[in-house]
Amino acid sequence: MSSAYPNTSKYLEPSSEIPKVIPARKPEPGKKVYRCNSENYSPLRRRIDIWTFVLLLLFKLWRNGKKWSYSDGFTEEKLVARRRIQAGWIRENLLELGPTFIKVGQLFSTRADLFPEEYVEELSKL
């Protein structure tokens, strides 16, 4: 079989210099391994994780506006305390969901005009 490009056969043969399998990286001791970096993280599992986060976030935001959801009555201090807890939860979940969500969290951390101060402070740690 002739080719229009002579001497290309040497490029088509496998090279012994390049490893055929890239060894898996082992996590460093003491570092948290996020699920999105796992080799067996399926697309279905990712969809479930994303929708679970979104629906729980919407429920928590809805619950913030309901004064009956605060034990011993509603106060601004309780709202701020709840927002701080939720901000930590949001940051941890964005880290779990991977680099795209981390980048979105970083973007949101610059928008103090749109989000409560507690969320902006916590997202600025991303």
Side-chain angles (χ1 to χ4, degrees):
M1 181 170 144
S2 66
S3 171
Y5 301 101
N7 301 325
T8 57
S9 61
K10 67 180 180 181
Y11 298 112
L12 300 176
E13 296 173 6
S15 172
S16 61
E17 298 172 11
I18 301 173
K20 295 185 186 213
V21 177
I22 298 172
R25 292 187 316 184
K26 292 185 179 179
E28 296 176 23
K31 281 194 132 183
K32 185 172 180 180
V33 178
Y34 294 105
R35 186 184 296 168
C36 65
N37 293 335
S38 169
E39 288 182 22
N40 58 355
Y41 192 47
S42 71
L44 176 62
R45 181 72 232 178
R46 180 148 176 84
R47 284 187 202 111
I48 291 170
D49 287 346
I50 292 170
W51 280 108
T52 301
F53 168 71
V54 168
L55 293 175
L56 281 172
L57 178 62
L58 289 174
F59 171 74
K60 289 179 180 216
L61 293 175
W62 171 80
R63 188 182 64 170
N64 278 352
K66 305 302 176 193
K67 294 185 178 185
W68 51 263
S69 68
Y70 295 86
S71 62
D72 299 330
F74 172 81
T75 62
E76 280 297 318
E77 292 81 26
K78 288 182 182 180
L79 175 64
V80 169
R82 186 181 277 183
R83 280 185 183 162
R84 286 197 191 285
I85 293 168
Q86 287 176 351
W89 177 82
I90 291 169
R91 182 179 53 82
E92 285 299 317
N93 277 286
L94 291 177
L95 286 170
E96 281 285 333
L97 289 173
T100 304
F101 289 89
I102 292 170
K103 193 51 79 175
V104 169
Q106 290 171 344
L107 173 72
F108 289 164
S109 73
T110 64
R111 299 303 310 260
D113 58 326
L114 297 178
F115 299 103
E117 179 183 336
E118 298 83 17
Y119 294 162
V120 172
E121 287 175 12
E122 194 67 32
L123 292 175
S124 65
K125 297 176 185 177
L126 290 173

